[in-house]
Amino acid sequence: MSTTARSGAPTAPAWRVSRPDRGASAIGALRAFLLVCVVVGGGATLGLVTRHAFSVAFWPVNAILVGIMLRAPHLNRPAGWAGAAAGFILADLILGQTPELGGWFAAANLSGTSVAVLLLRRLGASDLRLRRVHSVMRISVGLLPGSFAAASVGAAMVVVQFHGSATQTVMTWTASEIANYLIFLPAMLTVRPPWRGERRAAMPAPVVKPVWPLVLLAFSCTLAVWFDGPGSIMFPMPALLLCAMTYSVSTAALITMVLGSGCMITIGLGMVDIGQDLSIPRMVISVRIAVAFLALVPLTISSAMAVRDDLMAQLQQAADHDGLTGLLNRRAFEHRLHRRLDAPSTPGGGLALLWLDLDHFKAINDRHGHPAGDAVLRAIAETIAQCCRPDDLSARLGGEEFALALHAPDAQASAAIAERLRHAIAAIVVPWEDTGIRVTASIGACHLDRWPVEPQALLRGLDAALYRAKHAGRNRIEWLDPAALALQAA
């Protein structure tokens, strides 16, 4: 049978198409296997090196595995889980564990992490980024079955290999899993890796946060070590809450991770004496639960603060922007322009101020209807936005009137910007039903190279220049001379 298509061009047989995909899939599977194996092997080795009997278990690798499976879905595949199994077993073998026990421990860890990933994947992205009020609680609920699954396999191992108590193992293992998850998983879910910086250029400049909450936290940790005792675990809690209310969710998660892991290691190794006999299982469970709550409470507060900040940002966005075009409204534009004009000018930091009004816009509404007029306004707003850089200002002042404040080093640059905008608006064709709507704009413009200036006088002058452009024939630019109006600062 010929493989030539009806057009006469030869086509490849269908069975050949999948071969490159198979090769790419094999390479991707190998990469997933190796990457997860290295990460899990390293994390398991760290936990095994710091292991200690009858104490608070430091075991970050399960949280790390769950975190990478949730944040990198391309690793959540059979090859990735095979790499995790290999990493667990290799770490045990390297540190002297028997292959049989290594297999038991790997089975326990894999059963718990797979159940946790399966349940947490059902949560929304906002929950996984701790951007909802109850995010930490929802994540905790998803972690409980995974922790219990790991504890159940661990209990079977203890019964078969050591003839120990299944009930005691389930309680201590589950408490340990929950504590380690709450300490390490929030940081895994919220911290942006440094190599993912492609969006930082579009982000606003970060706000500098005070460091004294961290100083207070370090001081409270010093007091906890100094006084010892069972209550010393809670000494850092007030400072942790303050950090949660001061810093971002990711920063709070990192702080909690450092403090929680420090508690696990120092208490477990006996470096901090909490006055309890950690050879007693119920004491171990109590300490692990205390450390879990040490992480749970500040993370919940930080998540709630993030929700509040998001809502405030949304309210501010709605208050400052025009609902139809997305540009600034008059109040926000004038407020930001006043702040800019109140600041001292810098050499080469001139401003092009453009006030524009669409010509015969009422006729568009009368002829085509207000929906057509709205479409024209949105098209004008898109064109204006394309002319602006992130630190420029653009607004819809009301009706068909717009304003811009753009950086321009000199008067020639301002004139070029204004002409380019006028031509861009005149070239717009808004398709509507069976016709295309065109529009032009009259512009009142001014170039400022020195300020502070008197804002109200400037705005009145720009309005006057705009109406001169209207009366002089429309679709033109009239320039305001700041010197003539004595707008420059003395």
Side-chain angles (χ1 to χ4, degrees):
M1 181 177 178
S2 173
T3 59
T4 304
R6 290 185 179 181
S7 62
T11 59
W15 59 268
R16 291 185 180 178
V17 176
S18 61
R19 284 194 172 183
D21 295 336
R22 289 179 181 176
S25 177
I27 294 175
L30 179 60
R31 288 177 178 173
F33 177 88
L34 293 176
L35 178 59
V36 177
C37 181
V38 170
V39 172
V40 169
T45 301
L46 177 63
L48 291 171
V49 167
T50 59
R51 63 187 169 183
H52 28 78
F54 304 111
S55 62
V56 183
F58 174 76
W59 190 249
V61 63
N62 287 358
I64 294 174
L65 178 57
V66 171
I68 62 175
M69 290 300 184
L70 291 174
R71 294 198 65 172
H74 64 282
L75 300 177
N76 187 15
R77 55 198 297 182
W81 288 102
F88 282 126
I89 294 173
L90 285 174
D92 274 323
L93 294 178
I94 290 173
L95 293 176
Q97 192 67 269
T98 64
E100 185 177 6
L101 284 178
W104 272 107
F105 281 113
N109 291 319
L110 288 173
S111 62
T113 52
S114 60
V115 170
V117 170
L118 181 65
L119 294 176
L120 293 182
R121 284 182 60 191
R122 301 172 65 89
L123 298 179
S126 297
D127 276 322
L128 294 179
R129 292 185 292 110
L130 274 65
R131 308 300 291 193
R132 297 177 65 182
V133 174
H134 300 103
S135 293
V136 179
M137 299 305 299
R138 289 188 175 98
I139 291 174
S140 300
V141 170
L143 293 174
L144 280 171
S147 301
F148 183 77
S152 299
V153 177
M157 176 193 68
V158 168
V159 171
V160 172
Q161 297 292 325
F162 305 107
H163 307 289
S165 170
T167 302
Q168 175 182 312
T169 302
V170 168
M171 290 190 299
T172 55
W173 199 307
T174 302
S176 176
E177 288 282 304
I178 287 293
N180 281 288
Y181 275 132
L182 290 178
I183 289 171
F184 295 101
L185 186 57
M188 290 294 302
L189 295 177
T190 59
V191 175
R192 178 181 292 275
W195 57 86
R196 290 190 179 180
E198 65 273 6
R199 294 179 60 187
R200 285 184 181 174
M203 296 174 65
V207 178
V208 178
K209 300 290 187 178
V211 298
W212 61 268
L214 288 176
V215 175
L216 183 60
L217 180 62
F219 178 71
S220 62
C221 291
T222 303
L223 290 179
V225 175
W226 179 266
F227 284 100
D228 291 332
S232 61
I233 296 178
M234 291 293 109
F235 276 22
M237 180 61 77
L240 267 180
L241 295 178
L242 187 60
C243 290
M245 292 186 289
T246 304
Y247 304 119
S248 66
V249 171
S250 58
T251 303
L254 281 175
I255 294 171
T256 303
M257 182 184 72
V258 172
L259 181 63
S261 59
C263 287
M264 300 286 266
I265 294 174
T266 55
I267 294 174
L269 294 177
M271 299 168 61
V272 174
D273 183 10
I274 61 171
Q276 302 295 318
D277 186 357
L278 294 182
S279 64
I280 302 174
R282 60 185 178 86
M283 295 298 178
V284 176
I285 296 172
S286 176
V287 172
R288 291 176 182 176
I289 292 176
V291 175
F293 277 103
L294 189 66
L296 178 67
V297 175
L299 288 173
T300 302
I301 296 296
S302 180
S303 180
M305 295 296 294
V307 172
R308 186 209 65 169
D309 292 342
D310 290 344
L311 290 176
M312 292 298 295
Q314 294 173 17
L315 290 173
Q316 190 66 47
Q317 174 77 10
D320 288 350
H321 291 77
D322 174 60
L324 177 65
T325 63
L327 301 180
L328 293 173
N329 56 33
R330 177 185 290 271
R331 181 194 61 80
F333 177 81
E334 292 185 353
H335 175 70
R336 299 185 188 189
L337 180 61
H338 287 187
R339 284 194 308 178
R340 187 165 296 185
L341 295 180
D342 287 340
S345 59
T346 58
L351 277 178
L353 300 175
L354 308 178
W355 254 238
L356 63 93
D357 190 274
L358 302 184
D359 299 326
H360 305 296
F361 182 75
K362 185 176 183 300
I364 295 176
N365 283 333
D366 292 342
R367 184 177 308 143
H368 302 284
H370 287 280
D374 290 345
V376 171
L377 292 175
R378 285 192 291 267
I380 297 297
E382 291 175 4
T383 302
I384 289 174
Q386 292 170 1
C387 295
C388 296
R389 292 177 294 184
D391 53 348
D392 292 333
L393 302 178
S394 58
R396 180 189 177 198
L397 300 182
E400 66 272 22
E401 190 173 355
F402 297 84
L404 298 90
L406 310 99
H407 287 283
D410 51 41
Q412 290 76 17
S414 292
I417 291 172
E419 282 294 339
R420 186 165 62 248
L421 178 61
R422 185 180 68 83
H423 285 291
I425 292 174
I428 294 174
V429 179
V430 179
W432 190 258
E433 295 178 350
D434 57 348
T435 186
I437 303 175
R438 292 181 176 272
V439 69
T440 61
S442 300
I443 301 176
C446 175
H447 173 77
L448 289 179
D449 54 11
R450 286 185 295 169
W451 60 83
V453 299
E454 209 290 304
Q456 293 304 321
L458 175 62
L459 299 184
R460 287 194 299 269
L462 285 167
D463 274 334
L466 171 61
Y467 282 103
R468 288 202 305 272
K470 285 281 190 183
H471 295 151
R474 306 178 190 271
N475 190 24
R476 58 184 289 122
I477 304 169
E478 289 290 330
W479 288 87
L480 169 69
D481 182 6
L485 295 177
L487 292 177
Q488 293 187 9

